[in-house]
Amino acid sequence: AQSVTQLDSQVPVFEEAPVELRCNYSSSVSVYLFWYVQYPNQGLQLLLKYLSGSTLVKGINGFEAEFNKSQTSFHLRKPSVHISDTAEYFCAVTRNTGGFKTIFGAGTRLFVKA
Amino acid sequence: SAVISQKPSRDICQRGTSLTIQCQVDSQVTMMFWYRQQPGQSLTLIATANQGSEATYESGFVIDKFPISRPNLTFSTLTVSNLSPEDSSIYLCSVETGGNYEQYFGPGTRLTVT
């Protein structure tokens, strides 16, 4: 079974400050890790993904995430946020063993203040 | 990548009726998925719809309530039957393309049941 825990439901931050959105997961099989973003009144889009290789992955809009296998974490970071980063961020794990299936975390609402 | 459209974008339906949601993709894809996103919550997988086979439903979702069709590699429908207010949600379709395990999402259908 897979599960995804996003440790913060809401993260308020001032513009140009750094931010980290935390994600922990558990799985009995190998999984692939993703962050998706949902801007207000829009659909989900991929921010970044980890499939294999380097544990530090870079995505769109200056975001990056680090896969930590020992801590089963995949935290999302950005060194300096903008007002336009205000959105809902979802961590997700996908397995392809025993069928393709993605489990999403509960989401973290990032609110960037001026 | 893939561009996905959904119809309708929103609807208000009466209790006891049904709504059929259409999902159209701009390229041929094998795997399509239907998700439900209840207000303020994360995405929950309803079923996987692969062309040429019966849809596979997740625990808690049954074919009688959520019948799915997948007539070809670019189109699918989800029907939500015998509507109740608890069915008020956003319904999203997504596809996986190219073996990268990432998903592309449609804009969603916002259903309100009165």
Side-chain angles (χ1 to χ4, degrees):
Chain A
Q2 304 152 246
S3 67
V4 181
T5 302
Q6 291 185 242
L7 296 156
D8 307 292
S9 60
Q10 295 185 67
V11 174
V13 63
F14 285 104
E15 193 173 21
E16 297 184 5
V19 70
E20 179 179 78
L21 307 184
R22 297 177 294 168
C23 173
N24 287 93
Y25 71 94
S26 68
S27 178
S28 55
V29 299
S30 295
V31 292
Y32 307 101
L33 303 167
F34 302 83
W35 278 96
Y36 290 88
V37 59
Q38 187 174 35
Y39 296 104
N41 300 313
Q42 294 187 32
L44 273 80
Q45 63 182 93
L46 180 69
L47 200 56
L48 51 76
K49 63 186 176 187
Y50 173 78
L51 302 183
S52 64
S54 172
T55 57
L56 182 64
V57 293
K58 296 186 183 298
I60 62 172
N61 301 336
F63 283 93
E64 63 180 31
E66 185 153 22
F67 168 58
N68 188 318
K69 187 174 183 178
S70 62
Q71 297 186 6
T72 59
S73 67
F74 191 54
H75 300 335
L76 180 70
R77 297 192 291 258
K78 186 169 182 177
S80 175
V81 294
H82 303 289
I83 297 286
S84 60
D85 292 323
T86 293
E88 190 85 21
Y89 291 79
F90 294 97
C91 182
V93 296
T94 295
R95 70 149 200 252
N96 200 27
T97 302
F100 186 103
K101 182 175 179 179
T102 298
I103 300 293
F104 287 83
T108 297
R109 172 79 175 156
L110 176 63
F111 179 62
V112 182
K113 301 177 286 185
Chain B
S1 65
V3 177
I4 303 169
S5 59
Q6 285 185 234
K7 290 182 182 179
S9 58
R10 58 179 64 226
D11 207 341
I12 301 173
C13 300
Q14 290 196 343
R15 185 194 298 258
T17 63
S18 298
L19 176 69
T20 295
I21 303 167
Q22 300 179 6
C23 178
Q24 180 75 52
V25 189
D26 69 339
S27 58
Q28 294 184 336
V29 296
T30 301
M31 287 193 283
M32 294 182 75
F33 309 92
W34 286 99
Y35 289 89
R36 181 174 71 185
Q37 186 177 22
Q38 293 181 302
Q41 297 190 29
S42 187
L43 284 76
T44 302
L45 181 64
I46 298 172
T48 300
N50 292 340
Q51 198 271 337
S53 62
E54 296 291 322
T56 303
Y57 290 83
E58 296 299 309
S59 175
F61 298 96
V62 295
I63 188 171
D64 289 346
K65 175 70 174 177
F66 297 98
I68 289 171
S69 77
R70 182 77 200 274
N72 57 52
L73 291 172
T74 63
F75 187 78
S76 177
T77 67
L78 169 73
T79 299
V80 189
S81 305
N82 189 24
L83 290 167
S84 68
E86 293 70 35
D87 295 319
S88 296
S89 288
I90 297 174
Y91 292 85
L92 301 111
C93 71
S94 76
V95 303
E96 190 273 346
T97 68
N100 291 325
Y101 307 107
E102 62 192 70
Q103 293 179 58
Y104 298 89
F105 287 84
T109 295
R110 184 180 295 272
L111 169 62
T112 302
V113 182
T114 61

